[in-house]
Amino acid sequence: GAGVSQSPSNKVTEKGKDVELRCDPISGHTALYWYRQSLGQGLEFLIYFQGNSAPDKSGLPSDRFSAERTGGSVSTLTIQRTQQEDSAVYLCASSLLLSGELFFGEGSRLTVL
Amino acid sequence: KQEVTQIPAALSVPEGENLVLNCSFTDSAIYNLQWFRQDPGKGLTSLLLIQSSQREQTSGRLNASLDKSSGRSTLYIAASQPGDSATYLCAVNGGTSYGKLTFGQGTILTVHP
């Protein structure tokens, strides 16, 4: 597609359940990023993937969070045993090269009840 | 640790005014700086990317400048329109956080007719 695509756009889940968020980056972009946006914290870096290199996971807040990128394209962010503080908008972005211009998707709004 | 500050936090102006939004950062060893706009409930739209070797970038009515040594960037919006109403975010990439953007808290701009 022309832009970064994320799904679902909205997800409501119960505390303790696992959720998966999907990101389809712009075709040909080698770098893919996940950020989280919440009212109290603003925009926080979570993880990035660059080509075949090991991902930089330094922003993941706990071991309940994980992400993978299959075939150098689509990425899935998984949150296990969700907590209420995980409620936020999860934004995916991609760029042609690492640290090039970032293009963001519309985000996935997660609400944990 | 890189910190990014945006001033003012909010701005309300009548249509037609020229505006300046400010962004400052604490670590001048940056790779680039990017300005985004975000409409309510939407993702981020890239406006301008300035590389560390550049002094300014222009796109239509927007002009962004960068003074790396003093840790400052400004976004100038000429002849503001109601459609410019949005949150404007500044993000810095570089130093020890290469590949990871550090965002300011944003400036909420309202342009009224």
Side-chain angles (χ1 to χ4, degrees):
Chain A
V4 177
S5 178
Q6 292 188 245
S7 62
S9 54
N10 279 287
K11 175 73 176 179
V12 180
T13 191
E14 294 180 348
K15 178 181 173 181
K17 302 278 187 165
D18 297 352
V19 296
E20 287 189 348
L21 307 177
R22 176 190 165 103
C23 173
D24 200 342
I26 294 172
S27 178
H29 280 193
T30 65
L32 183 148
Y33 314 76
W34 284 97
Y35 284 82
R36 179 169 72 173
Q37 186 173 33
S38 54
L39 282 175
Q41 300 295 326
L43 270 149
E44 307 170 84
F45 165 79
L46 297 177
I47 185 171
Y48 75 66
F49 300 87
Q50 165 57 28
N52 296 321
S53 302
D56 184 325
K57 306 178 182 180
S58 60
L60 295 179
S62 78
D63 58 8
R64 295 186 296 105
F65 288 72
S66 63
E68 63 177 16
R69 187 179 187 190
T70 53
S73 181
V74 172
S75 176
T76 302
L77 177 68
T78 301
I79 309 172
Q80 296 179 308
R81 304 181 301 282
T82 52
Q83 304 294 312
Q84 288 184 331
E85 61 263 29
D86 300 335
S87 296
V89 177
Y90 290 83
L91 291 161
C92 177
S94 69
S95 62
L96 190 60
L97 300 171
L98 185 66
S99 293
E101 186 176 10
L102 267 68
F103 296 89
F104 279 81
E106 294 290 295
S108 292
R109 179 177 296 278
L110 175 65
T111 303
V112 182
L113 301 177
Chain B
K1 178 187 172 186
Q2 180 73 271
E3 293 183 1
V4 180
T5 303
Q6 291 188 245
I7 295 173
L11 186 60
S12 180
V13 299
E15 182 176 6
E17 279 204 4
N18 300 323
L19 311 170
V20 176
L21 308 182
N22 297 289
C23 172
S24 62
F25 45 94
T26 54
D27 185 349
S28 61
I30 67 167
Y31 188 75
N32 57 41
L33 182 148
Q34 198 165 352
W35 282 93
F36 297 90
R37 72 173 277 168
Q38 185 174 33
D39 294 284
K42 300 292 186 181
L44 278 65
T45 300
S46 176
L47 297 174
L48 290 163
L49 172 72
I50 312 178
Q51 301 294 347
S52 62
S53 58
Q54 296 175 317
R55 300 281 297 181
E56 65 179 316
Q57 281 281 14
T58 298
S59 176
R61 294 182 295 107
L62 305 179
N63 175 278
S65 67
L66 174 63
D67 184 342
K68 200 173 74 163
S69 61
S70 68
R72 295 179 186 274
S73 176
T74 60
L75 179 66
Y76 177 82
I77 303 176
S80 58
Q81 303 171 356
D84 295 330
S85 299
T87 297
Y88 289 79
L89 292 153
C90 164
V92 169
N93 177 18
T96 57
S97 300
Y98 181 76
K100 313 166 203 175
L101 295 183
T102 302
F103 283 85
Q105 292 297 313
T107 293
I108 302 171
L109 174 64
T110 303
V111 182
H112 45 88

